[in-house]
Every structure is written in structure tokens, then in C-alpha cells.
Amino acid sequence: MKLTIIGGGPGGYIAAIRAAQLGAEVTLIEKNAMGGTCLNVGCIPTKALLHAADLYQQIKNDAKRNGIVAEDVHIDFEVMQKRKAAVVKQLVSGVTGLMKAYGIKVVKGAAKFKTADTVIVTGEETTEITSDKVIIASGSVPSVVPIPGHDLAGVVDSTGALEFEEIPESLCVIGGGVIGVEMAQMFQRLGTKVTIVEMLPDILTNLDEDVTAVIKKAMKRAKTEILLETKVECIEKSEGSLVVHVADKEGKAQEIEAEKILLCVGRRPATEELGLDILGIATEKNKILVDENYQTNIENVYAIGDCIGGIMLAHVASAEGISAVEKIMGVESDIDFETVPSCIYTCPELSSVGLTEKQALHQGLDYEVGTFPLAANGKSLIAGETSGLAKIIADKESGAILGVHMAGPGATELIAEGALAIHKKATVRDLMATIHAHPSVGESLQEAAHAVFGNALNM
Ligand code: FAD
Ligand code: NAI
């Protein structure tokens, strides 16, 4: 089987490895650096800077009360950026190494379909690649909203914000989604005055409201202004800075002055350059339409990851890549796409898997909720992060775990337990019967399970 993969992000490169493992002859085409959005301008660089901002806050605020004297604590942003770049470089070269190790041929350049089985690659030279099947994994790019002034100097997208040479004094974040909240907190913790403008009644609307409340409180405590149900009218240049003109739902106008503006209002599939129209590949709002096998309306062409829309996360892109390849190669594929953890790498960390309480309510389910505050969890107290919680939504009759939501230290790691529990159709009794180590933040999940029956032990 000759397989061509367009795009070397977490969707494409993982698909390439799985295909090589199953015996396919794989060519991967990438026009930029290997690793895609995730490694180069997404998951990894944001988390590297978030980690640095967290470290700075810990040394500045927590060291002293732990008996550690750290004097003249200040930021060298150039070094911080270099460290971020070094982490990215190491991971990108790791992916390049993996391609070699698996005998995957990497072709550098931009791919465009000529026919269903032939792709033209334009790079330093132009080549044509013919194969039995093609998987498109071309990812996504930031959405642009036609706000007047969106193209002014100083208005950036997430990629631009990762490349700042200096920490801005003030930042206006347009869009209170995942990128907006992570970036807002990161810059606030580095000393920037941050305002978030969100058009909906809440930020992070995909999370459980109790979890969102925790981060909103933390951000407000840190003096980040969050303007909800607020529309951006336009952005204008003012002397030495920018002004965002907004209006709330009553139409009351406000001006936000900021040195930089971050536009993060979602991402759209990157499908325009692929020549999809040449083959008549069906799309909807740039999304490539696929069936349950990731097959497009053209028999030998498949698509996975951000370019098909859906949940735009790296782990989803990789899982879809594996699943598509296994289906193409005729191998049983059993990935559970119903159970996708979602993590926000703020302080406290936030995580979620399964149904939120609102979703359970809207679906008319008969459910119970167990919540345990981390103020009563020893490990959280030691870490100095007690504002969070663990929350479990369970089916009232069977006790089956339907949703797990966390805010607190290690929440992005612990959510794997919730994902496995839901995948294995575990009940709150299973969680209660599983001994959790002490002291650990994980105990709060077990306590939340007890709390479903009103029997939390340390509360
Ligand atoms: P991409 O990673 O976008 O890769 C697509 C690749 O295809 C790119 O390298 C591109 O250059 C290449 N390509 C496109 N067109 C062509 C062409 N015609 N020819 C050749 N090559 C082409 N997700 C998480 O799960 N966790 C996070 O913490 C997280 N943080 C994020 C932070 C930010 C700031 C951003 C922007 C995103 C974040 N994401 C996160 C989302 C995550 O990065 C994406 O969901 C993921 O990268 C999608 O993988 P993909 O392989 O589908 O596409
Ligand atoms: P998003 O969809 O998460 O949030 C966009 C927000 O902007 C929404 O709340 C929306 O209501 C708001 N918005 C849209 N237009 C607006 C306007 N004109 N004015 C004010 N607000 C407006 O998209 P985001 O944050 O850009 O992230 C893109 C993708 O990247 C997401 O799909 C996410 O999954 C992924 N990502 C994941 C991360 C993680 O897993 N930790 C981190 C960062 C990004």
C-alpha cells in the first residue's frame, strides 16, 4: 500500500508512523516545520511559556512563605523565549528522527491535488507523488473576523503573541475561549494588564460552570478584566497604542486602550490551497466532509484532524490519524471518540471529560452530582492551590460516571482517570472502591465519588 499524507502535525505524523508500523510505504508532505501547529505555534510553545510564567509566580509569591528567600526576582524575557524555542526545536527534531526511524519519506513543500491519486508538491523543486491512498491532515489557521482595524500593526493572532520580543504593558484579548484564557493568564502573570472581551455570556463555554467559576475568580483576583456579552465595534490606532471600541449588550460603549491586541476567536480548517475543487472533494465552511471511516466523497482520499473541524485538539487529531490508517489497512480500530478530555493549562489547571452538568440537564438525564473542594485536600494545601474542586456527574440509578470535571493542581494529568472510568463504564462505586494514594490531589476524585452519596469523608 502506497500512502501519501499531507501535513506533518500531530494528525499527519502520527498517522504516518501507524501506517509504517502496519507495513505501508508512506510519503509525508509538509510545507513548514514538522510537528504542525501543535509543536511549533500551539500546544508546546504556549505551555512552555505558561510553565515559565507559573515558575515566576511561584518564586515571587510562594517561595517566601515556604522559607525560601529569592531576591531580585525578575524576568529575562529573551531567555524565556529562547527556552521555549529550544523545547520546540528538540521536539521537532524528535519527530524528524521518528520519520527516519520508520522509513517514512518526508517531502518538503506545499501539496495540491492533480488527480485523486497524484499530488503536486511545490517546494524548492516541483515533484509529483502518486499513491494508492491520500490522507489530508492540513490542520487549521486562526479565524479572522472582519472587525475594522483587525489588520493594524500590534493586532496579533496566537502565533504573533508567542513571538512578542517584549512583554506588553497592556493586552486586550478578543475572544474568551481556550487560547484567550491561557494567553490572558500567561501575560497577566508576566506583568501585563489584561482585558478579555467575550461576546457570549461566559468564557470557556465548553467547560462545566463550576470549573469556569474557579478560573474566573482567579483571574479577577489577579485583576484581569473580563467583559462578557460585549461586542467589538472597531480597533483604532491611538498615540503609541491601540484602542478597542466595544459595546455591551445594552449598547453602552467603552474604550479599551492596549499596547497589543490578541485576536483569538476560533480557528478554521486550512483547506484552501489543496485544490479540493479540482477533485470535487465535498467541504462545508472549509471543513472537509468525511464519513465514519474518515473517507471523503472521493474513494481513495481521507481527511483527519483540524481540517475536518470537530474537536480541534492535538490528541483528537492523532487518534483520528491512527483510526483512519487502521481502517485503510484493514486492522481493527477501537478508539473511543466519545470520551475526549479537554484541558486548560492555567493556574489552577482545568480539565473536563464527559458530560457537563448543563449537558446532563439539557439531555433530561436523571443524575447526581458529587463535588469536593480542594480546600479540604492536603496535597492542594501543600501546593498552595486550594481554590479548585473535583466534580463528578453520575447516573442516578446505575451510578455510571457520566462526567468528571476538575480545577486544581495536576488537573490536566488526573483527568485521564476520569476518561478511563467513563470509557470502561465505571460507576462511582468503582471509584470509591479504588484506593487512592495519600496525600494526592487524586483523593479528591475519590471524595467526589463519595460525595455523590453525600458521604465525603474529609468534608
Ligand atoms: P496541524 O497541527 O495544524 O498540522 C497541519 C500541518 O499541515 C501543518 O504543519 C501545515 O504546515 C501542514 N500543511 C497544511 N497545508 C499543507 C499543504 N498544502 N501542503 C503541505 N503541508 C501542509 N491542542 C491540544 O490538544 N492541547 C493544547 O494544549 C493545545 N494548545 C494550542 C494552543 C494554540 C495557541 C493553538 C493555536 C492550538 C492549540 N491546540 C492544542 C490545538 C492543536 O494545536 C491542534 O488541534 C492540532 O495541532 C491539530 O493537528 P493537525 O495535525 O490536524 O493540524
Ligand atoms: P475558541 O473557539 O475556544 O474560542 C473563541 C472564543 O471567541 C469564543 O468564546 C467565542 O464566543 C469568542 N468570539 C468569537 N467572535 C468574537 C468576537 N467578535 N468578539 C468577542 N468574542 C468572540 O477558539 P480559540 O480560543 O481561538 O482556540 C482555537 C482552538 O484551539 C480551539 O478549538 C481549541 O480547542 C484549541 N486550543 C486548545 C488548547 C488546549 O487544549 N489547552 C489551547 C489553545 C487552543
Side-chain angles (χ1 to χ4, degrees), residues 390-458:
K391 176 170 175 177
I392 292 178
I393 322 274
D395 181 77
K396 194 167 187 171
E397 200 187 318
S398 67
I401 298 169
L402 305 173
V404 177
H405 310 280
M406 294 197 72
T412 62
E413 306 291 342
L414 284 164
I415 202 64
E417 179 176 346
L420 187 61
I422 296 175
H423 172 65
K424 296 304 284 181
K425 304 199 174 4
T427 65
V428 277
R429 293 202 178 277
D430 292 321
L431 215 59
M432 286 154 67
T434 307
I435 297 175
H436 286 62
H438 176 76
S440 69
V441 184
E443 286 174 289
S444 66
L445 276 177
Q446 196 181 21
E447 287 276 25
H450 282 288
V452 169
F453 300 102
N455 288 330
L457 299 157
N458 284 288

Side-chain angles (χ1 to χ4, degrees), residues 299-320:
E299 206 192 335
N300 64 319
V301 181
Y302 294 70
I304 56 143
D306 280 12
C307 70
I308 61 167
I311 306 173
M312 289 186 170
L313 292 174
H315 40 286
V316 174
S318 298
E320 288 173 352

Side-chain angles (χ1 to χ4, degrees), residues 59-107:
I59 297 168
K60 223 172 85 168
N61 298 327
D62 287 352
K64 200 169 169 191
R65 66 175 163 164
N66 281 286
I68 299 160
V69 182
E71 282 166 356
D72 187 27
V73 182
H74 65 277
I75 297 166
D76 185 335
F77 196 52
E78 199 181 326
V79 175
M80 204 179 267
Q81 288 283 29
K82 275 188 186 152
R83 153 88 177 140
K84 174 203 79 180
V87 171
V88 169
K89 192 173 167 201
Q90 190 169 337
L91 288 173
V92 170
S93 81
V95 172
T96 307
L98 281 170
M99 297 298 102
K100 269 200 196 115
Y102 277 101
I104 295 159
K105 185 177 174 199
V106 176
V107 178

